[in-house]
Coordinates of all heavy atoms in Angstrom, one line a residue:
M19 N -41.7 115.8 -13.4 CA -42.4 116.3 -14.6 C -41.4 116.2 -15.8 O -40.3 116.4 -15.7 CB -42.6 117.8 -14.3 CG -43.2 118.6 -15.5 SD -43.6 120.3 -15.1 CE -42.1 121.1 -15.3
E20 N -41.9 115.7 -16.9 CA -41.2 115.6 -18.1 C -41.7 116.5 -19.1 O -43.0 116.6 -19.3 CB -41.2 114.2 -18.6 CG -40.4 113.2 -17.6 CD -40.2 111.9 -18.2 OE1 -40.3 111.7 -19.5 OE2 -40.0 110.9 -17.4
V21 N -40.9 117.2 -19.9 CA -41.3 118.2 -20.9 C -40.6 117.8 -22.2 O -39.4 117.5 -22.2 CB -40.9 119.6 -20.4 CG1 -41.3 120.6 -21.5 CG2 -41.5 119.9 -19.1
G22 N -41.3 118.0 -23.3 CA -40.6 117.8 -24.6 C -41.0 116.5 -25.3 O -41.7 115.7 -24.8
E23 N -40.4 116.3 -26.5 CA -40.7 115.1 -27.3 C -39.7 114.0 -26.8 O -38.8 114.3 -26.0 CB -40.4 115.4 -28.8 CG -41.4 116.5 -29.3 CD -41.1 116.7 -30.8 OE1 -40.4 115.9 -31.4 OE2 -41.5 117.8 -31.2
E24 N -39.9 112.9 -27.3 CA -39.1 111.7 -26.9 C -37.6 111.9 -27.0 O -36.9 111.6 -26.2 CB -39.5 110.5 -27.8 CG -38.8 109.2 -27.4 CD -39.2 108.7 -26.0 OE1 -40.4 109.0 -25.6 OE2 -38.4 108.1 -25.3
R25 N -37.2 112.6 -28.1 CA -35.7 112.7 -28.3 C -35.1 113.9 -27.6 O -34.0 114.0 -27.4 CB -35.5 113.0 -29.8 CG -35.7 111.7 -30.6 CD -35.4 111.9 -32.1 NE -34.1 112.5 -32.2 CZ -33.6 112.9 -33.4 NH1 -34.3 112.7 -34.5 NH2 -32.5 113.5 -33.5
S26 N -36.0 114.8 -27.1 CA -35.4 116.0 -26.4 C -36.2 116.2 -25.1 O -36.5 117.3 -24.7 CB -35.6 117.2 -27.3 OG -36.9 117.5 -27.6
R27 N -36.4 115.1 -24.3 CA -37.0 115.2 -23.0 C -36.2 115.9 -22.0 O -35.0 115.8 -22.0 CB -37.4 113.8 -22.5 CG -38.7 113.4 -22.9 CD -39.1 112.2 -22.0 NE -38.2 111.1 -22.3 CZ -38.4 109.9 -21.9 NH1 -39.5 109.6 -21.3 NH2 -37.5 109.0 -22.2
I28 N -36.8 116.7 -21.1 CA -36.1 117.3 -20.0 C -36.7 116.8 -18.7 O -38.0 116.8 -18.6 CB -36.3 118.8 -20.1 CG1 -35.6 119.4 -21.3 CG2 -35.6 119.4 -18.8 CD1 -35.9 120.9 -21.5
L29 N -35.9 116.2 -17.9 CA -36.4 115.7 -16.6 C -36.2 116.8 -15.5 O -35.1 117.3 -15.4 CB -35.7 114.5 -16.2 CG -36.1 113.8 -14.9 CD1 -37.5 113.4 -14.9 CD2 -35.2 112.7 -14.6
V30 N -37.2 117.2 -14.8 CA -37.1 118.2 -13.8 C -37.3 117.6 -12.5 O -38.3 116.9 -12.2 CB -38.2 119.3 -14.0 CG1 -38.1 120.4 -13.0 CG2 -38.1 119.9 -15.4
L31 N -36.4 117.8 -11.6 CA -36.4 117.2 -10.2 C -36.6 118.3 -9.2 O -36.0 119.3 -9.3 CB -35.2 116.4 -9.9 CG -34.9 115.2 -10.8 CD1 -33.5 114.6 -10.4 CD2 -36.0 114.1 -10.6
D32 N -37.3 118.0 -8.1 CA -37.3 118.8 -7.0 C -36.2 118.4 -6.1 O -36.3 117.5 -5.3 CB -38.7 118.7 -6.2 CG -38.8 119.6 -5.1 OD1 -37.8 120.3 -4.7 OD2 -39.9 119.7 -4.5
V33 N -35.0 119.1 -6.2 CA -33.8 118.7 -5.5 C -34.0 118.6 -4.0 O -33.5 117.7 -3.3 CB -32.6 119.6 -5.9 CG1 -31.4 119.3 -5.1 CG2 -32.3 119.5 -7.4
A34 N -34.7 119.5 -3.4 CA -35.0 119.5 -2.0 C -35.6 118.3 -1.5 O -35.4 117.8 -0.4 CB -35.8 120.7 -1.6
R35 N -36.4 117.6 -2.3 CA -37.0 116.3 -1.9 C -36.1 115.1 -2.2 O -36.3 114.1 -1.6 CB -38.3 116.1 -2.6 CG -39.4 117.1 -2.2 CD -40.6 116.9 -2.9 NE -41.6 117.9 -2.6 CZ -42.9 117.8 -2.9 NH1 -43.3 116.7 -3.4 NH2 -43.7 118.8 -2.6
V36 N -35.2 115.2 -3.1 CA -34.4 114.1 -3.5 C -33.0 114.0 -2.8 O -32.6 113.0 -2.4 CB -34.1 114.2 -5.0 CG1 -33.2 113.0 -5.5 CG2 -35.4 114.1 -5.8
V37 N -32.4 115.2 -2.5 CA -31.1 115.2 -1.9 C -31.2 115.5 -0.4 O -31.9 116.3 0.0 CB -30.2 116.3 -2.6 CG1 -28.9 116.5 -2.0 CG2 -30.1 116.1 -4.1
R38 N -30.4 114.7 0.4 CA -30.3 114.9 1.8 C -28.9 115.4 2.1 O -27.9 114.9 1.5 CB -30.6 113.7 2.6 CG -32.0 113.2 2.5 CD -32.2 111.9 3.3 NE -31.0 111.1 3.1 CZ -30.7 110.0 3.8 NH1 -31.5 109.7 4.8 NH2 -29.7 109.2 3.6
H39 N -28.7 116.2 3.1 CA -27.4 116.6 3.6 C -26.8 115.4 4.4 O -27.5 114.9 5.3 CB -27.4 117.9 4.5 CG -27.6 119.1 3.7 ND1 -28.9 119.7 3.6 CD2 -26.8 119.8 3.0 CE1 -28.7 120.8 2.9 NE2 -27.5 120.9 2.5
R40 N -25.6 115.0 4.1 CA -25.0 114.0 5.0 C -23.8 114.6 5.7 O -23.3 114.0 6.7 CB -24.4 112.9 4.1 CG -25.6 112.2 3.4 CD -25.4 110.8 3.2 NE -24.8 110.0 4.2 CZ -24.3 108.8 4.1 NH1 -24.5 108.2 3.0 NH2 -23.8 108.2 5.1
L41 N -23.3 115.8 5.3 CA -22.2 116.4 5.9 C -22.4 117.9 5.9 O -22.5 118.5 4.9 CB -20.9 116.0 5.2 CG -19.6 116.6 5.7 CD1 -19.3 116.1 7.1 CD2 -18.5 116.2 4.7
V42 N -22.4 118.5 7.1 CA -22.5 119.9 7.2 C -21.4 120.4 8.1 O -21.2 119.9 9.2 CB -23.9 120.3 7.9 CG1 -23.9 121.8 8.1 CG2 -25.0 119.8 7.0
L43 N -20.5 121.3 7.6 CA -19.3 121.7 8.3 C -19.5 123.2 8.7 O -19.9 124.0 7.8 CB -18.1 121.5 7.5 CG -17.8 120.1 7.0 CD1 -16.6 120.1 6.1 CD2 -17.5 119.2 8.2
G44 N -19.0 123.6 9.8 CA -18.9 125.0 10.2 C -17.6 125.5 9.6 O -16.7 124.7 9.4
S45 N -17.5 126.8 9.3 CA -16.3 127.3 8.7 C -16.1 128.7 9.2 O -17.0 129.5 9.4 CB -16.4 127.3 7.2 OG -15.4 128.0 6.6
V46 N -14.8 129.1 9.4 CA -14.5 130.4 9.7 C -14.1 131.1 8.4 O -13.5 130.5 7.5 CB -13.2 130.5 10.7 CG1 -12.8 131.9 10.9 CG2 -13.5 129.7 11.9
D47 N -14.6 132.3 8.2 CA -14.4 133.0 6.9 C -13.0 133.0 6.4 O -12.7 132.9 5.3 CB -15.0 134.4 7.0 CG -16.5 134.4 7.0 OD1 -17.1 133.4 6.6 OD2 -17.0 135.4 7.5
A48 N -12.0 133.2 7.3 CA -10.6 133.3 7.0 C -10.1 132.0 6.4 O -9.1 132.0 5.7 CB -9.8 133.7 8.2
E49 N -10.7 130.9 6.7 CA -10.2 129.6 6.3 C -10.5 129.4 4.8 O -9.7 128.7 4.1 CB -10.8 128.5 7.1 CG -10.4 128.4 8.5 CD -11.2 127.4 9.3 OE1 -12.0 126.6 8.7 OE2 -10.9 127.3 10.5
L50 N -11.6 129.9 4.3 CA -12.0 129.7 2.9 C -11.7 128.3 2.3 O -10.8 128.1 1.6 CB -11.2 130.7 2.0 CG -11.6 132.2 2.3 CD1 -10.6 133.1 1.5 CD2 -13.0 132.5 2.0
P51 N -12.6 127.4 2.7 CA -12.4 126.0 2.3 C -12.5 125.8 0.8 O -13.3 126.5 0.2 CB -13.4 125.2 3.1 CG -14.5 126.2 3.4 CD -13.8 127.5 3.5
T52 N -11.9 124.8 0.3 CA -12.0 124.4 -1.1 C -13.3 123.7 -1.3 O -14.0 123.3 -0.3 CB -10.9 123.5 -1.6 OG1 -11.0 122.2 -0.8 CG2 -9.5 124.1 -1.4
A53 N -13.7 123.4 -2.5 CA -14.8 122.6 -2.7 C -14.6 121.2 -2.2 O -13.4 120.7 -2.2 CB -15.1 122.5 -4.3
P54 N -15.6 120.5 -1.7 CA -15.3 119.1 -1.2 C -15.1 118.1 -2.4 O -15.6 118.3 -3.5 CB -16.6 118.8 -0.5 CG -17.6 119.7 -1.0 CD -16.9 120.9 -1.5
V55 N -14.3 117.1 -2.1 CA -13.9 116.1 -3.1 C -14.2 114.8 -2.5 O -13.9 114.6 -1.3 CB -12.5 116.2 -3.5 CG1 -12.1 115.1 -4.5 CG2 -12.2 117.5 -4.2
T56 N -14.8 113.8 -3.2 CA -15.1 112.5 -2.7 C -14.3 111.4 -3.3 O -13.9 111.6 -4.5 CB -16.6 112.2 -2.8 OG1 -16.9 112.1 -4.2 CG2 -17.5 113.2 -2.1
G57 N -14.0 110.4 -2.6 CA -13.3 109.2 -3.1 C -13.1 108.2 -2.1 O -12.8 108.5 -0.9
G58 N -13.3 106.9 -2.4 CA -13.1 105.9 -1.5 C -14.0 105.9 -0.3 O -13.6 105.5 0.8
G59 N -15.2 106.5 -0.4 CA -16.2 106.6 0.7 C -15.8 107.6 1.7 O -16.3 107.6 2.8
M60 N -15.0 108.6 1.3 CA -14.6 109.7 2.1 C -14.8 111.0 1.4 O -14.9 111.1 0.2 CB -13.2 109.5 2.6 CG -12.9 108.3 3.4 SD -11.3 108.2 4.0 CE -11.4 109.3 5.4
V61 N -14.8 112.1 2.2 CA -14.9 113.5 1.7 C -13.7 114.2 2.2 O -13.3 114.1 3.3 CB -16.2 114.2 2.3 CG1 -16.2 115.6 1.8 CG2 -17.5 113.5 1.8
F62 N -13.0 114.9 1.2 CA -11.8 115.7 1.5 C -12.0 117.1 1.3 O -12.6 117.5 0.2 CB -10.7 115.2 0.7 CG -10.4 113.7 0.8 CD1 -10.9 112.8 -0.2 CD2 -9.8 113.2 1.9 CE1 -10.7 111.5 -0.1 CE2 -9.6 111.8 2.0 CZ -10.1 110.9 1.0
I63 N -11.6 118.0 2.2 CA -11.6 119.4 2.1 C -10.3 120.0 2.6 O -9.8 119.6 3.6 CB -12.8 120.0 2.9 CG1 -14.1 119.4 2.4 CG2 -12.8 121.5 2.8 CD1 -15.3 119.8 3.3
A64 N -9.8 121.0 1.8 CA -8.6 121.7 2.2 C -9.0 123.2 2.4 O -10.1 123.6 2.1 CB -7.5 121.6 1.2
D65 N -8.0 123.9 3.0 CA -8.4 125.3 3.2 C -7.1 126.2 3.1 O -6.0 125.7 2.9 CB -9.1 125.6 4.5 CG -8.3 125.2 5.7 OD1 -7.1 125.6 5.8 OD2 -8.9 124.7 6.7
R66 N -7.3 127.5 3.2 CA -6.2 128.4 3.0 C -5.2 128.5 4.2 O -4.3 129.2 4.2 CB -6.7 129.8 2.7 CG -7.4 129.8 1.3 CD -7.5 131.1 0.7 NE -8.2 131.0 -0.6 CZ -8.6 132.0 -1.3 NH1 -8.5 133.2 -0.8 NH2 -9.2 131.8 -2.4
T67 N -5.5 127.8 5.3 CA -4.6 127.7 6.4 C -3.6 126.5 6.2 O -2.8 126.3 7.0 CB -5.3 127.5 7.7 OG1 -6.0 126.3 7.8 CG2 -6.3 128.7 8.0
G68 N -3.8 125.8 5.1 CA -3.0 124.6 4.7 C -3.4 123.3 5.4 O -2.6 122.4 5.4
V69 N -4.6 123.3 5.9 CA -5.1 122.1 6.6 C -5.9 121.3 5.6 O -6.7 121.8 4.8 CB -6.0 122.5 7.8 CG1 -6.5 121.2 8.5 CG2 -5.1 123.3 8.8
V70 N -5.7 120.0 5.6 CA -6.5 119.0 4.8 C -7.3 118.2 5.7 O -6.8 117.5 6.6 CB -5.6 118.1 3.9 CG1 -6.5 117.2 3.0 CG2 -4.7 119.0 3.0
H71 N -8.7 118.2 5.5 CA -9.6 117.4 6.4 C -10.1 116.2 5.7 O -10.5 116.4 4.5 CB -10.7 118.3 6.9 CG -10.3 119.5 7.6 ND1 -10.0 119.6 8.9 CD2 -10.2 120.8 7.1 CE1 -9.7 120.8 9.2 NE2 -9.8 121.6 8.1
A72 N -10.2 115.1 6.3 CA -10.9 113.9 5.7 C -12.0 113.5 6.6 O -11.9 113.5 7.9 CB -9.9 112.8 5.6
F73 N -13.2 113.2 6.0 CA -14.3 112.8 6.8 C -14.8 111.4 6.2 O -14.8 111.2 5.0 CB -15.4 113.8 6.6 CG -15.1 115.2 7.1 CD1 -14.5 116.1 6.3 CD2 -15.3 115.5 8.4 CE1 -14.1 117.3 6.8 CE2 -15.0 116.7 8.9 CZ -14.3 117.6 8.1
N74 N -15.3 110.6 7.1 CA -15.9 109.3 6.7 C -17.2 109.6 6.0 O -17.8 110.7 6.1 CB -16.2 108.4 8.0 CG -14.9 108.0 8.6 OD1 -13.9 107.7 7.9 ND2 -14.8 108.0 9.9
D75 N -17.8 108.6 5.4 CA -19.0 108.8 4.7 C -20.2 109.1 5.6 O -21.3 109.6 5.2 CB -19.4 107.7 3.8 CG -19.5 106.3 4.5 OD1 -19.3 106.3 5.7 OD2 -19.9 105.3 3.8
D76 N -20.0 108.9 6.9 CA -21.1 109.2 7.9 C -20.9 110.7 8.4 O -21.7 111.1 9.3 CB -21.1 108.2 9.0 CG -19.8 108.2 9.8 OD1 -18.9 108.9 9.5 OD2 -19.8 107.3 10.7
G77 N -19.9 111.4 7.9 CA -19.7 112.8 8.3 C -18.7 113.0 9.5 O -18.4 114.1 9.8
N78 N -18.2 111.9 10.1 CA -17.3 112.1 11.2 C -15.9 112.3 10.7 O -15.5 111.7 9.7 CB -17.3 110.8 12.1 CG -18.7 110.7 12.8 OD1 -19.2 111.6 13.3 ND2 -19.2 109.4 12.9
P79 N -15.1 113.2 11.4 CA -13.7 113.4 11.0 C -12.9 112.1 11.1 O -13.0 111.3 12.0 CB -13.2 114.4 12.0 CG -14.5 115.0 12.6 CD -15.5 114.0 12.5
A80 N -12.1 111.8 10.0 CA -11.3 110.6 10.0 C -9.8 111.0 10.3 O -9.2 110.3 11.1 CB -11.4 110.0 8.6
W81 N -9.3 112.1 9.7 CA -8.0 112.6 10.0 C -7.8 114.0 9.5 O -8.6 114.5 8.7 CB -6.9 111.6 9.4 CG -7.0 111.3 7.9 CD1 -7.6 110.2 7.4 CD2 -6.6 112.1 6.8 NE1 -7.5 110.2 6.0 CE2 -6.9 111.4 5.6 CE3 -5.9 113.3 6.7 CZ2 -6.6 111.8 4.4 CZ3 -5.6 113.8 5.4 CH2 -6.0 113.0 4.3
T82 N -6.7 114.6 9.9 CA -6.4 115.9 9.5 C -4.9 115.9 9.1 O -4.1 115.3 9.8 CB -6.6 117.0 10.6 OG1 -8.0 116.9 10.9 CG2 -6.2 118.4 10.2
S83 N -4.5 116.6 8.1 CA -3.1 116.7 7.7 C -2.8 118.2 7.4 O -3.7 119.0 7.1 CB -2.8 115.8 6.4 OG -1.5 115.8 6.1
Y84 N -1.5 118.5 7.4 CA -1.1 119.9 7.2 C -0.1 120.0 6.1 O 0.8 119.2 6.0 CB -0.5 120.4 8.5 CG -1.4 120.3 9.7 CD1 -1.5 119.2 10.5 CD2 -2.3 121.3 10.0 CE1 -2.4 119.0 11.5 CE2 -3.2 121.2 11.0 CZ -3.2 120.1 11.8 OH -4.1 120.0 12.8
T85 N -0.2 121.1 5.3 CA 0.7 121.4 4.2 C 1.6 122.6 4.7 O 1.3 123.1 5.8 CB 0.0 121.8 2.9 OG1 -0.6 123.0 3.1 CG2 -1.0 120.7 2.5
S86 N 2.6 123.0 3.9 CA 3.4 124.1 4.4 C 2.9 125.4 3.9 O 3.6 126.4 4.0 CB 4.9 123.8 3.9 OG 4.9 123.8 2.5
G87 N 1.8 125.4 3.2 CA 1.2 126.7 2.7 C -0.3 126.6 2.4 O -0.8 125.5 2.5
P88 N -0.9 127.7 2.1 CA -2.3 127.7 1.8 C -2.7 126.8 0.6 O -1.9 126.7 -0.3 CB -2.6 129.2 1.5 CG -1.4 129.9 1.7 CD -0.3 129.0 1.9
V89 N -3.9 126.3 0.7 CA -4.4 125.5 -0.5 C -5.6 126.2 -1.1 O -6.5 126.5 -0.4 CB -4.8 124.1 0.0 CG1 -5.4 123.3 -1.1 CG2 -3.7 123.3 0.7
Y90 N -5.4 126.6 -2.3 CA -6.5 127.4 -3.0 C -7.4 126.5 -3.9 O -8.5 127.0 -4.2 CB -5.8 128.5 -3.9 CG -5.2 129.6 -3.1 CD1 -3.8 129.5 -2.8 CD2 -5.9 130.6 -2.6 CE1 -3.2 130.5 -2.1 CE2 -5.3 131.6 -1.9 CZ -4.0 131.6 -1.6 OH -3.4 132.6 -0.9
Y91 N -7.0 125.4 -4.3 CA -7.8 124.5 -5.2 C -8.1 123.2 -4.5 O -7.4 122.7 -3.7 CB -7.0 124.3 -6.5 CG -6.7 125.6 -7.2 CD1 -5.4 126.2 -7.1 CD2 -7.7 126.3 -7.8 CE1 -5.2 127.4 -7.7 CE2 -7.4 127.5 -8.4 CZ -6.2 128.1 -8.4 OH -5.9 129.3 -9.0
P92 N -9.2 122.6 -4.9 CA -9.6 121.3 -4.2 C -8.6 120.2 -4.5 O -7.9 120.2 -5.5 CB -10.9 121.0 -5.0 CG -11.4 122.2 -5.6 CD -10.2 123.1 -5.9
P93 N -8.5 119.3 -3.5 CA -7.6 118.2 -3.7 C -8.1 117.3 -4.9 O -9.2 117.6 -5.4 CB -7.8 117.4 -2.4 CG -8.4 118.4 -1.4 CD -9.1 119.4 -2.2
T94 N -7.3 116.4 -5.3 CA -7.7 115.5 -6.4 C -7.6 114.1 -5.9 O -6.6 113.7 -5.2 CB -6.8 115.7 -7.6 OG1 -7.0 117.1 -8.0 CG2 -7.2 114.8 -8.7
V95 N -8.5 113.2 -6.3 CA -8.4 111.8 -6.0 C -8.2 111.1 -7.3 O -9.0 111.2 -8.2 CB -9.7 111.3 -5.3 CG1 -9.6 109.8 -5.0 CG2 -9.9 112.0 -4.0
A96 N -7.1 110.3 -7.4 CA -6.8 109.5 -8.6 C -6.1 108.2 -8.2 O -5.2 108.3 -7.3 CB -6.0 110.3 -9.6
D97 N -6.4 107.1 -8.8 CA -5.8 105.8 -8.5 C -5.7 105.5 -7.0 O -4.7 105.0 -6.5 CB -4.3 105.8 -9.1 CG -4.3 106.0 -10.6 OD1 -5.3 105.5 -11.3 OD2 -3.4 106.7 -11.1
G98 N -6.8 105.8 -6.3 CA -6.9 105.5 -4.9 C -6.0 106.3 -4.0 O -5.8 106.0 -2.8
R99 N -5.5 107.5 -4.5 CA -4.6 108.4 -3.7 C -5.2 109.8 -3.7 O -5.8 110.2 -4.7 CB -3.2 108.4 -4.2 CG -2.6 107.0 -4.2 CD -1.1 107.0 -4.3 NE -0.6 107.5 -3.0 CZ 0.7 107.5 -2.8 NH1 1.6 107.1 -3.7 NH2 1.1 108.0 -1.6
L100 N -4.9 110.5 -2.6 CA -5.3 111.9 -2.5 C -4.1 112.8 -2.8 O -3.1 112.6 -2.3 CB -5.8 112.2 -1.1 CG -6.2 113.6 -0.9 CD1 -7.5 114.0 -1.7 CD2 -6.5 113.8 0.6
Y101 N -4.3 113.7 -3.8 CA -3.2 114.7 -4.1 C -3.7 116.1 -3.7 O -4.8 116.5 -4.0 CB -3.0 114.6 -5.6 CG -2.5 113.3 -6.1 CD1 -3.4 112.3 -6.5 CD2 -1.1 113.0 -6.2 CE1 -2.9 111.0 -6.9 CE2 -0.7 111.8 -6.6 CZ -1.6 110.8 -7.0 OH -1.1 109.6 -7.4
V102 N -2.8 116.8 -3.1 CA -3.1 118.2 -2.7 C -1.9 119.1 -3.1 O -0.7 118.7 -2.9 CB -3.3 118.3 -1.1 CG1 -3.6 119.7 -0.7 CG2 -4.4 117.3 -0.7
A103 N -2.1 120.2 -3.7 CA -1.0 121.1 -4.0 C -1.2 122.4 -3.2 O -2.3 123.0 -3.3 CB -1.0 121.4 -5.5
E104 N -0.2 122.9 -2.5 CA -0.3 124.1 -1.8 C 0.1 125.3 -2.7 O 0.5 125.1 -3.8 CB 0.5 124.1 -0.5 CG 1.9 123.6 -0.6 CD 2.8 124.8 -0.7 OE1 2.6 125.8 -0.1 OE2 3.8 124.7 -1.5
M105 N 0.0 126.5 -2.2 CA 0.1 127.7 -3.0 C 1.4 127.8 -3.8 O 1.4 128.2 -5.0 CB 0.1 128.9 -2.1 CG 0.2 130.2 -2.8 SD 0.1 131.7 -1.8 CE 1.8 131.7 -1.1
R106 N 2.5 127.3 -3.3 CA 3.8 127.4 -4.0 C 3.9 126.2 -5.1 O 4.9 126.1 -5.7 CB 5.0 127.4 -3.1 CG 5.0 128.6 -2.2 CD 6.1 128.6 -1.2 NE 5.7 127.6 -0.2 CZ 6.4 127.3 0.9 NH1 7.5 127.9 1.1 NH2 5.9 126.4 1.7
G107 N 2.9 125.4 -5.2 CA 2.9 124.3 -6.2 C 3.5 123.0 -5.7 O 3.6 122.1 -6.5
Y108 N 3.9 122.9 -4.4 CA 4.4 121.6 -4.0 C 3.3 120.6 -3.8 O 2.3 120.9 -3.1 CB 5.2 121.8 -2.6 CG 6.4 122.7 -2.7 CD1 6.4 123.9 -2.1 CD2 7.5 122.3 -3.5 CE1 7.6 124.7 -2.2 CE2 8.6 123.1 -3.6 CZ 8.6 124.3 -3.0 OH 9.8 125.1 -3.1
P109 N 3.5 119.4 -4.3 CA 2.4 118.4 -4.1 C 2.6 117.7 -2.8 O 3.7 117.5 -2.3 CB 2.7 117.4 -5.3 CG 4.2 117.6 -5.5 CD 4.5 119.0 -5.2
Y110 N 1.4 117.3 -2.2 CA 1.4 116.6 -1.0 C 0.5 115.4 -1.2 O -0.5 115.4 -1.9 CB 0.8 117.4 0.2 CG 1.8 118.5 0.6 CD1 1.7 119.7 0.0 CD2 2.7 118.2 1.6 CE1 2.6 120.7 0.4 CE2 3.6 119.2 2.0 CZ 3.5 120.5 1.4 OH 4.4 121.4 1.8
L111 N 0.9 114.3 -0.6 CA 0.2 113.0 -0.6 C -0.1 112.7 0.8 O 0.6 111.9 1.4 CB 0.9 111.9 -1.3 CG 1.1 112.2 -2.8 CD1 2.6 112.2 -3.1 CD2 0.3 111.2 -3.6
P112 N -1.1 113.3 1.4 CA -1.4 113.0 2.9 C -1.7 111.5 3.1 O -2.3 110.9 2.3 CB -2.6 113.9 3.2 CG -2.8 114.7 2.0 CD -2.1 114.1 0.9
R113 N -1.2 111.1 4.2 CA -1.5 109.7 4.7 C -1.2 108.7 3.7 O -1.8 108.0 3.1 CB -2.9 109.6 5.2 CG -3.0 110.4 6.4 CD -4.0 109.8 7.4 NE -3.8 110.5 8.6 CZ -3.8 109.9 9.8 NH1 -4.0 108.6 9.9 NH2 -3.7 110.6 10.9

């Protein structure tokens, strides 16, 4: 459905019909995972236990890495590398 004039059109999508889940993860409340981050055809998620998870684009686990402290903010992907900072501010470059 489109609403408005040519210069101020609004496109309304039924997200449930357009978007499909490709990755569904179980979580324990104490882990409090970060928001997922994508890059290089992979999905990366860290959590407050200091674990960094990597998943292939088909949703299968690719690898797991560990930091020395909790991770409160999502990892960052830049220049083909994954950057993770744990609670004390130390940067990690897993794998």
Side-chain angles (χ1 to χ4, degrees):
M19 173 174 87
E20 292 188 25
V21 179
E23 296 179 22
E24 184 66 31
R25 290 182 49 184
S26 61
R27 266 195 299 195
I28 298 172
L29 179 62
V30 180
L31 296 175
D32 184 351
V33 175
R35 292 182 186 195
V36 177
V37 177
R38 293 181 317 166
H39 285 100
R40 294 210 45 188
L41 178 63
V42 178
L43 301 173
S45 172
V46 176
D47 290 338
E49 293 175 1
L50 296 172
T52 65
V55 175
T56 61
M60 299 185 76
V61 176
F62 305 99
I63 299 173
D65 64 42
R66 293 200 181 168
T67 64
V69 180
V70 181
H71 304 276
F73 299 90
N74 294 321
D75 61 357
D76 59 3
N78 291 320
W81 53 262
T82 300
S83 186
Y84 302 88
T85 68
S86 64
V89 178
Y90 289 95
Y91 301 102
T94 299
V95 177
D97 297 324
R99 300 196 74 172
L100 177 69
Y101 297 87
V102 180
E104 52 95 36
M105 183 181 78
R106 292 176 291 181
Y108 295 114
Y110 288 90
L111 295 122
R113 296 213 164 220

